[in-house]
Amino acid sequence: MALSRLSSSSTSTIKSNLIKPISTIFTLNRSISSDTTLSIETSIPFTAHNCTPPSTTVTTTPNELLNFFHTMSLMRRMEIAADSLYKSKLIRGFCHLYDGQEAVAVGMEASTTKKDCIITAYRDHCTFLGRGGTLLEVYSELMGRVDGCSKGKGGSMHFYKKDSGFFGGHGIVGAQVPLGCGLAFGQKYLKNESVTFALYGDGAANQGQLFEALNIAALWDLPAILVCENNHYGMGTAEWRAAKSPAYYKRGDYVPGLKVDGMDVLAVKQAVKFAKEHALQSGPIILELDTYRYHGHSMSDPGSTYRTRDEISGVRQERDPIERVKKLLLSHDIATEKELKDTEKEVRKEVDEAIAKAKESPVPKPSDLFTNVYVKGYGVEAFGADRKEVRATLP
């Protein structure tokens, strides 16, 4: 990244919308204040379709960069620990990890508010954390405990936090996109000046329902932003084998699109800000975020049969999103190597404590199987092992 420093200005400080303030172990270098405005060039220029791309110069602050480092490190450690819990059989069923893609979740939060909605597929742990979820809720849900965000009944693929505008992980490939356009319809109807981000992978980009939803979103100028998290492999299939045109940002044809380096948190921040402004003024837009997952598609996939280990290690060495922020912090004398290592130790401690608490959380009662099926006051509730007792709750 090309770096340059601008003058300090408290009025132009950009505040982060991340899940918590930076750890107190950070002590800013005396030569730079926390509200100094920095100007940083994105690693790769934006590529636009039917629109003028945003500036490649992104403004940030030391405080925001420290937040980025802490939050992405927390997400990385959270997912690595989930890997170990799955292998220990404390997490069952499906489990899709996000390590490598942290810049997407964190960059999005830097340019959105909780009034904006996010809906995604089943690789959803870090998106939930970015929306304000806690580690305890994450691990309790993964292990099927009542303290989970979905009370232990949704598991890895069905995280949810409506009060922060997170409408879940969805297991049916591509099905979250029309739901996201529906959320955007509600936002336009209510005139609340917010937008919806519907996230999907390159594997879902060929789904017919995606194009149907985009068509009506364009007809009605809905504030919908379709975000293709292109990690280049839909399950075990490389994008070039599945898509005649893997330029996903152009797939909307009549809808503008933007291709973004999804491993650069500042580029994501800039692109999301641009897309939100566009969606509020002119309707839908597509973002293609060029990212990469380090794990396989799910825990049952070793992730090394359809790609080489050299490819994975090459991305880690050249494009890792956390290392990029770390280099910025060091080059601007915002933090020292020791301080960053101390942060990583603190993150590991946070994760370990959350796992210990989650293990103490009880599993749901068998009777909980029949709750949260119908809206209260409507439908029929059936309960009991033999289902002999049925209680009608229709008004």
Side-chain angles (χ1 to χ4, degrees):
M1 290 184 173
L3 308 176
S4 62
R5 183 176 300 170
L6 299 180
S7 61
S8 174
S9 173
S10 59
T11 59
S12 59
T13 299
I14 297 179
K15 295 181 179 180
S16 172
N17 290 317
L18 298 179
I19 60 174
K20 58 172 68 176
I22 59 173
S23 175
T24 54
I25 62 174
F26 283 119
T27 302
L28 284 174
N29 187 292
R30 294 290 183 183
S31 65
I32 186 170
S33 64
S34 61
D35 63 353
T36 297
T37 300
L38 305 175
S39 180
I40 299 174
E41 291 292 318
T42 60
S43 300
I44 301 172
F46 300 106
T47 307
H49 169 67
N50 287 343
C51 65
T52 301
S55 171
T56 55
T57 302
V58 189
T59 54
T60 185
T61 64
N63 193 57
E64 183 175 61
L65 290 175
L66 289 169
N67 265 300
F68 285 167
F69 181 79
H70 176 270
T71 307
M72 286 197 288
S73 297
L74 189 67
M75 289 177 174
R76 178 72 58 84
R77 184 61 199 169
M78 178 183 78
E79 295 294 68
I80 291 172
D83 173 289
S84 298
L85 291 170
Y86 191 93
K87 290 172 180 174
S88 300
K89 297 184 178 181
L90 287 168
I91 297 175
R92 302 291 185 129
F94 293 99
C95 186
H96 304 81
L97 303 180
Y98 203 75
D99 48 318
Q101 300 183 209
E102 298 91 351
V104 174
V106 175
M108 285 185 66
E109 288 302 320
S111 290
T112 58
T113 72
K114 297 302 186 290
K115 290 183 179 179
D116 297 315
C117 298
I118 297 180
I119 189 167
T120 188
Y122 37 74
R123 202 178 303 279
D124 57 2
H125 310 159
C126 292
T127 307
F128 171 78
L129 196 69
R131 288 269 92 185
T134 66
L135 288 171
L136 177 60
E137 289 173 313
V138 168
Y139 286 117
S140 295
E141 191 60 40
L142 287 173
M143 291 190 281
R145 310 301 177 94
V146 297
D147 288 323
C149 60
S150 297
K151 300 181 181 179
K153 299 195 293 182
S156 174
M157 302 171 76
H158 302 290
F159 280 44
Y160 196 80
K161 190 171 176 56
K162 183 180 177 181
D163 60 357
S164 293
F166 180 57
F167 288 85
H170 292 260
I172 304 301
V173 177
Q176 69 277 9
V177 177
L179 292 175
C181 290
L183 289 168
F185 175 80
Q187 290 168 323
K188 182 168 185 176
Y189 185 83
L190 295 172
K191 299 179 181 179
N192 61 11
E193 293 298 306
S194 58
V195 301
T196 292
F197 296 86
L199 280 64
Y200 57 97
D202 52 289
N206 300 311
Q207 283 276 326
Q209 59 188 324
L210 188 152
F211 297 96
E212 294 172 15
L214 183 60
N215 178 64
I216 201 166
L219 281 171
W220 294 347
D221 294 327
L222 301 182
I225 300 168
L226 274 62
V227 182
C228 178
E229 292 185 278
N230 182 8
N231 60 29
H232 301 282
Y233 295 97
M235 295 189 74
T237 304
E239 58 176 344
W240 62 268
R241 295 180 61 203
K244 183 64 178 176
S245 173
Y248 300 108
Y249 70 103
K250 294 182 179 180
R251 288 289 197 89
D253 186 17
Y254 43 82
V255 173
L258 193 69
K259 185 173 182 179
V260 184
D261 182 2
M263 303 293 271
D264 182 344
V265 66
L266 291 171
V268 175
K269 170 191 167 182
Q270 186 84 328
V272 167
K273 178 184 177 183
F274 171 83
K276 181 175 176 178
E277 291 171 354
H278 178 280
L280 288 172
Q281 295 173 8
S282 308
I285 184 172
I286 294 176
L287 295 180
E288 178 187 345
L289 303 183
D290 181 2
T291 185
Y292 199 83
R293 55 172 166 81
Y294 294 155
H295 267 84
H297 173 72
S298 68
M299 285 301 298
S300 60
D301 168 25
S304 56
T305 57
Y306 48 84
R307 57 182 181 174
T308 65
R309 295 189 183 278
D310 286 343
E311 177 184 309
I312 301 170
S313 62
V315 174
R316 283 182 177 274
Q317 291 172 12
E318 298 173 14
R319 300 183 64 207
D320 186 79
I322 299 176
E323 287 299 313
R324 284 185 174 184
V325 174
K326 183 177 181 179
K327 288 176 182 177
L328 285 173
L329 292 169
L330 294 173
S331 64
H332 280 73
D333 296 325
I334 297 170
T336 65
E337 284 273 10
K338 182 182 183 304
E339 287 172 328
L340 297 180
K341 286 181 181 179
D342 287 345
T343 299
E344 291 169 344
K345 291 178 183 178
E346 183 65 26
V347 160
R348 185 183 292 264
K349 181 181 177 183
E350 286 183 62
V351 168
D352 289 345
E353 289 176 351
I355 291 172
K357 277 190 174 183
K359 287 179 179 178
E360 295 174 359
S361 179
V363 298
K365 298 176 183 177
S367 59
D368 288 338
L369 179 66
F370 303 100
T371 61
N372 308 120
V373 177
Y374 298 103
V375 175
K376 287 184 178 180
Y378 295 88
V380 175
E381 293 183 8
F383 55 93
D386 55 4
R387 299 193 180 184
K388 287 182 178 179
E389 185 177 356
V390 177
R391 178 167 59 88
T393 59
L394 288 171

